[in-house]
Amino acid sequence: KYTPAPFLMAVQGDFLDFNAEAAAKYGFPEFDCAFDRGGIVAVEPSDRPQYAANLASLVKSGGRLLLVTVEHDPTFGPPHNVDEKEVRKLFGKDFEVEMLSREDKMEAEPHWKKRGATRFDEVAYMCRRK
């Protein structure tokens, strides 16, 4: 017998249209935690404020967001460059942001070097909802 875990949820759709109000329709108005790896770096820079606001609306006070971004020459993408300054600008109002790690991925991602990139770092942040 399959019993769905109450802490797992998958919804297909446009995340820019998904916020706490939309999540409440599924019975999950707020989340204890969220994990973003490959989300914000895929979003067009002009849509990032809405993306961050929606994500913030979903994580309850005291909750956590594990955010993984990439940093590289800004002229390349997607994945788009999302540096620490941008992370703090987008999430700093709603979250305490702590950088956890930075890893040089240039050797693991050689196609970036072929495209002319001079750096390609994967950066992880722990964001605690205020």
Side-chain angles (χ1 to χ4, degrees), residues 15 40 47-57 90-91 94-95:
F15 190 77
I40 195 148
D47 291 329
R48 287 181 192 162
Q50 182 63 52
Y51 181 93
N54 284 6
L55 194 49
S57 79
L90 292 168
F91 294 98
D94 298 305
F95 293 88

Side-chain angles (χ1 to χ4, degrees), residues 2 11 19 24-25 32-33 37 47 52 55 57-58 62 67 79-80 85-86 99 104 107-108 110-111 115 126:
Y2 174 74
V11 177
N19 55 25
K25 293 177 185 176
D32 293 320
C33 59
R37 184 186 187 286
D47 291 329
L55 194 49
S57 79
L58 293 167
L67 178 68
H80 299 289
K85 181 179 178 182
E86 181 78 0
M99 182 190 295
D104 181 347
E107 295 303 316
H111 63 279
R115 291 176 65 186
M126 177 58 68

